[in-house]
Amino acid sequence: MTSFRRLFSCSNSITLSRIVLAGIFPFIFFSSIACCRAVALVILLVAGVTDILDGYVARKTKQVTKLGAQLDPVADKILAMVVFYSFWQADLIPGLALFLIVMREAIMIGGSCFFYYTKTAIMSANWAGKGSTLFYYLTFIFLLQSIPGFYILLYIAIGLAYLAMLWYLVSIWKTKNY
């Protein structure tokens, strides 16, 4: 498969659409249209579906690639950072939460890029990473719907995200696959 076809395979295109949705989110979230939060929520729900769908399509169509395995978590991190930065800008979450999220995601993106370009390891998802993603989306829903308790969900998500990062680091160290 050529590089172009591999990049724009169906599953990778679904993943790339999540990055596009991340770029659209702040424009909708901060717009003056009457239902901007509802539309922003729909964007996030569609992004969540793409997060589930891309891997499923890749496995079903036998289009699983190293690029796709690296691109998917990068798309997740871009989306999370854009959304949480927007929430912080709107004074909906504290700066500490944003700092913790951005630092963790930046470290994970850097690590992912390092392993992709050195062709040494692929960090596959673990339960803590999947759990943090689930709690991120629950936080998005609760916050955009003004449901009390989103701070608890937010800090659970952050805790799981750091646990996942620690898990990745320990796994890589144990295998010395770098």
Side-chain angles (χ1 to χ4, degrees):
M1 188 184 285
T2 66
S3 294
F4 181 81
R5 287 187 62 200
R6 185 172 37 248
L7 177 62
F8 290 103
S9 67
C10 184
S11 56
N12 286 351
S13 295
I14 293 169
T15 303
L16 290 169
S17 74
R18 192 159 58 258
I19 296 171
V20 170
L21 290 170
I24 294 170
F25 176 83
F27 292 103
I28 299 300
F29 181 73
F30 289 111
S31 75
S32 59
I33 61 173
C35 57
C36 64
R37 283 201 175 186
V39 175
L41 179 58
V42 169
I43 288 170
L44 291 175
L45 293 176
V46 170
V49 169
T50 67
D51 192 17
I52 295 166
L53 197 58
D54 57 3
Y56 175 80
V57 169
R59 287 185 297 278
K60 282 293 184 187
T61 61
K62 297 182 180 9
Q63 293 179 338
V64 176
T65 63
K66 187 174 179 182
L67 175 63
Q70 297 298 318
L71 190 60
D72 178 60
V74 171
D76 292 343
K77 285 149 189 36
I78 290 169
L79 179 70
M81 287 193 291
V82 166
V83 171
F84 283 121
Y85 182 78
S86 297
F87 289 166
W88 175 74
Q89 279 291 108
D91 207 24
L92 297 173
I93 65 168
L96 175 62
L98 177 68
F99 174 78
L100 292 171
I101 291 164
V102 169
M103 291 310 303
R104 187 270 181 181
E105 302 302 0
I107 291 167
M108 293 299 289
I109 288 172
S112 181
C113 291
F114 170 79
F115 290 120
Y116 179 78
Y117 287 110
T118 59
K119 300 177 183 354
T120 53
I122 294 178
M123 297 184 289
S124 57
N126 61 46
W127 67 267
K130 292 199 179 283
S132 69
T133 300
L134 171 66
F135 277 92
Y136 278 162
Y137 279 98
L138 289 173
T139 301
F140 299 160
I141 292 167
F142 274 54
L143 201 146
L144 289 170
Q145 294 298 302
S146 300
I147 300 171
F150 71 85
Y151 280 115
I152 294 167
L153 296 173
L154 173 63
Y155 286 106
I156 290 172
I158 292 170
L160 286 171
Y162 274 88
L163 180 62
M165 183 175 71
L166 182 62
W167 188 318
Y168 294 134
L169 293 172
V170 168
S171 297
I172 290 167
W173 182 78
K174 278 184 175 179
T175 61
K176 300 206 187 321
N177 196 15
Y178 54 91

